[in-house]
């Protein structure tokens, strides 16, 4: 992929008109200059305030890992986070006695999954005019934000995210009615763990590997599991996608992507959320993420 040209548009430039065709061809597009430095600082300050209010002892020490898939299997804290703001730690954040080895601001992997609705700052930017412009450009009819996360990718301990497609975790029918928006709060480089993609890998017609609810009533059984055979991907086909801060990546729900560990001394904060086109679309009842009697996925255009 040495000669590959990244699909990049500027939201304020005439070339933004190419975003839909590039997205359809590649499965992802980098969109530059979506948020200002002031916007990013407001988001960073909002997250600092959220973490500052975290009492570590009042929350389960839930570790987020894409290597050990069973760690989430009995994790009610994770399963019930669709309409809450909850905290998930890096694998190496705790010692053998369960004490944090680093300050809590350096220990977190991510915060999710309802920042877009419950926090006024993240709600403001999730439903901003630039986001609506992007969603309209890809012609989603009834776009709903289904989950959001602030991802820290901590310096030195920020873990890898193994190659995957988002539709493994959030499945809809038709399967292509899902995309992610990944906003670079910090500049994302190869050194601090930027995203990597296999261009064109979204052109599939079925999903054979899924992360689902078991619907078990037995407290001894896992609440979640992976169904099917985990696919393997040709690592030589991945291309890195560095992202300037304030820019974002539009990610097809079927495109294969990953990120490497952050071994640098620089943070790689990002705010990301997933959007489903609910128009003539079925949300899979086996998805780990479900609406609740008091919370429905909010429409991008109506908020």
């Amino acid at each position: 992929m040495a000669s590959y040209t990244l699909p990049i548009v500027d939201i304020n430039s005439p070339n933004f008109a190419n975003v839909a065709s590039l997205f359809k061809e590649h499965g992802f597009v980098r969109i530059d200059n979506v948020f200002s430095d002031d916007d990013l600082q407001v988001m960073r300050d909002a997250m600092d305030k959220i973490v500052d209010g975290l009492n570590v002892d009042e929350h389960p020490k839930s570790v987020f890992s894409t290597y050990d898939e069973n760690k989430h299997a009995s994790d009610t804290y994770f399963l019930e986070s669709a309409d809450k703001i909850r905290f998930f730690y890096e694998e190496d954040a705790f010692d053998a006695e369960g004490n944090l080895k680093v300050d809590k601001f350096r220990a977190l992997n991510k915060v999710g999954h309802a920042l877009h609705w419950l926090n006024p700052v993240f709600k403001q930017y999730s439903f901003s005019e630039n986001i609506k412009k992007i969603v309209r450009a890809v012609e989603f009819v009834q776009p709903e934000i289904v989950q959001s996360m602030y991802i820290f990718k901590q310096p030195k301990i920020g873990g890898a995210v193994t190659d995957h497609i988002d539709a493994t975790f959030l499945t809809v029918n038709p399967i292509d009615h899902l995309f992610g928006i990944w906003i670079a709060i910090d500049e994302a480089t190869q050194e601090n763990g930027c995203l990597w993609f296999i261009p064109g890998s979204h052109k599939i017609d079925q999903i054979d590997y899924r992360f689902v609810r078991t619907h078990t009533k037995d407290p001894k059984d896992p609440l979640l599991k992976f169904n099917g055979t985990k696919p393997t991907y040709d690592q030589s086909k991945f291309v890195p996608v560095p992202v300037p801060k304030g820019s974002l990546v539009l990610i097809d729900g079927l495109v294969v992507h990953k990120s490497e560990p952050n071994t640098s001394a620089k943070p790689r904060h990002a705010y990301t959320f997933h959007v489903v086109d609910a128009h003539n679309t079925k949300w899979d009842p086996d998805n780990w993420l479900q609406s609740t009697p008091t919370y429905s996925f909010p429409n991008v255009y109506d908020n």
Side-chain angles (χ1 to χ4, degrees):
M1 303 297 290
S3 61
Y4 179 72
T5 301
L6 289 178
I8 301 172
V9 299
D10 190 301
I11 197 165
N12 301 308
S13 168
N15 79 340
F16 181 75
N18 299 323
V19 67
S21 60
L22 289 171
F23 188 53
K24 184 176 181 179
E25 177 184 355
H26 299 267
F28 67 96
V29 183
R30 195 183 91 188
I31 305 176
D32 288 349
N33 297 311
V34 180
F35 295 103
S36 69
D37 287 349
D38 287 344
D39 294 332
L40 302 177
Q41 191 60 52
V42 170
M43 284 188 264
R44 194 188 305 274
D45 289 346
M47 183 49 58
D48 283 348
K49 185 176 180 181
I50 290 170
V51 177
D52 190 51
L54 165 65
N55 183 331
V56 176
D57 295 330
E58 292 179 355
H59 292 261
K61 296 177 176 65
S62 185
V63 172
F64 183 80
S65 169
T66 59
Y67 285 116
D68 185 353
E69 296 172 344
N70 293 321
K71 285 191 174 182
H72 275 172
S74 60
D75 199 342
T76 303
Y77 183 77
F78 170 80
L79 186 66
E80 297 178 351
S81 63
D83 60 347
K84 299 175 180 67
I85 296 175
R86 289 187 163 172
F87 303 88
F88 304 91
Y89 295 91
E90 290 289 354
E91 287 187 273
D92 296 330
F94 296 96
D95 62 21
E97 285 72 43
N99 301 309
L100 281 177
K101 295 193 290 186
V102 294
D103 182 87
K104 62 182 179 180
F105 284 89
R106 292 283 308 278
L108 288 166
N109 173 283
K110 68 177 183 177
V111 174
H113 289 98
L115 287 165
H116 62 281
W117 196 243
L118 298 181
N119 181 273
V121 168
F122 290 103
K123 184 176 183 179
Q124 171 190 344
Y125 290 112
S126 301
F127 297 94
S128 65
E129 288 307 311
N130 274 350
I131 293 298
K132 292 176 182 178
K133 179 178 179 180
I134 293 166
V135 176
R136 288 191 182 99
V138 295
E139 300 181 338
F140 267 30
V141 177
Q142 190 180 335
E144 297 174 352
I145 299 180
V146 297
Q147 71 162 357
S148 54
M149 299 173 284
Y150 192 99
I151 302 173
F152 296 90
K153 203 74 166 182
Q154 306 284 6
K156 301 295 185 183
I157 66 169
V161 177
T162 55
D163 35 23
H164 68 283
I165 63 172
D166 291 338
T168 289
F169 303 91
L170 305 171
T171 302
V172 291
N173 184 13
I175 59 173
D176 61 347
H177 284 198
L178 170 75
F179 66 71
I181 286 178
W182 191 96
I183 302 163
I185 305 295
D186 293 308
E187 179 185 15
T189 66
Q190 289 191 53
E191 289 69 36
N192 69 357
C194 71
L195 298 173
W196 294 65
F197 290 86
I198 298 181
S201 57
H202 63 299
K203 298 173 184 179
I204 59 175
D205 56 14
Q206 65 182 18
I207 303 169
D208 299 320
Y209 184 62
R210 292 193 52 212
F211 183 62
V212 297
R213 290 175 175 243
T214 62
H215 304 284
T216 182
K217 302 299 182 183
D218 189 333
K220 298 190 297 294
D221 292 338
L223 299 174
L224 298 157
K225 67 177 181 179
F226 283 85
N227 276 346
T229 302
K230 187 173 184 178
T232 57
Y233 301 105
D234 184 345
Q235 298 299 306
S236 69
K237 293 184 177 180
F238 279 95
V239 297
V241 182
V243 186
K245 65 178 184 177
S247 298
L248 63 79
V249 186
L250 185 64
I251 304 171
D252 190 290
L254 299 172
V255 73
V256 181
H257 59 289
K258 66 176 183 176
S259 68
E260 302 296 340
N262 181 4
T263 57
S264 78
K266 296 180 179 180
R268 196 226 63 183
H269 290 198
Y271 174 57
T272 183
F273 54 92
H274 288 91
V275 179
V276 162
D277 189 350
H279 180 66
N280 292 332
T281 301
K282 180 182 178 183
W283 182 257
D284 197 296
D286 291 338
N287 285 340
W288 78 266
L289 181 75
Q290 299 291 332
S291 58
T292 73
T294 58
Y295 171 72
S296 299
F297 302 141
N299 188 294
V300 173
Y301 299 148
D302 295 343
N303 291 279

